[in-house]
Amino acid sequence: MARPRFSMALLRLKWISTDLLASVCLMKRAVCPGSFDPVTFGHLDIIERASAQFDDVVVAVLVNRTKSSMFTVAERMEMILKTTAHLSNVRVDSWSGLLVDYCKSNEIQSIVKGLRAVTDFDYELQMAQVNLQGSGVETMFMATAPTHSFLSSSLVKELAHYGGDVSSMVPELINTALKSRVQEGGK
Ligand code: PNS
């Protein structure tokens, strides 16, 4: 009599562990990479929509060798942390190096990028193809919401530099940070 009960328990344990294993293995993880100098409503829209499609989303602040930055990596990470606090499956990290190496070491299968207009396409396609060829990491493009199609961090910084109103382009805390950085003489 004790034998069947024991095998039932074993079977149940096997089910649970198989289930657990499956959910861990099937976990869909994505990275939203960028300079985020600073994060804008355009970025936040993509991050929010990615969080609805993936189980785990890492927003990675990457060092772009071709750009100089107004905010430090730590400052940019803190801004993203604060503005994505309502998204429970979104984390923030930083990386200096190839994006595919970050993906490999963090078991990330997909890169999510926003496409604003055709002007983004050539460069983004090239990067997606290089990343796919080198490592098999897929890039998923999301169409930017039309309200954000003109928005970029560079534009926001330029406007803020000359005292323009960027309150419709970035969250209030970023607007405040921009103003004080401009006052300090930051570019
Ligand atoms: O917000 P940005 O500056 O347009 O983001 C570009 C970024 C940082 C995501 C991109 O330059 C990048 O992935 N840099 C990491 C180095 C890398 O992997 N380069 C692509 C090889 S072709």
Side-chain angles (χ1 to χ4, degrees), residues 33-36 62-64 67 97-100 113 123 127 130-131:
S35 307
F36 304 109
L62 268 88
V63 176
N64 188 335
K67 291 182 184 170
L98 284 179
L99 179 57
V100 289
K113 289 274 189 92
Y123 177 59
M127 272 207 291
V130 166
N131 288 340

Side-chain angles (χ1 to χ4, degrees), residues 53-67:
Q53 299 298 325
F54 292 88
D55 302 305
D56 188 29
V57 174
V58 186
V59 182
V61 176
L62 268 88
V63 176
N64 188 335
R65 288 189 319 112
T66 63
K67 291 182 184 170

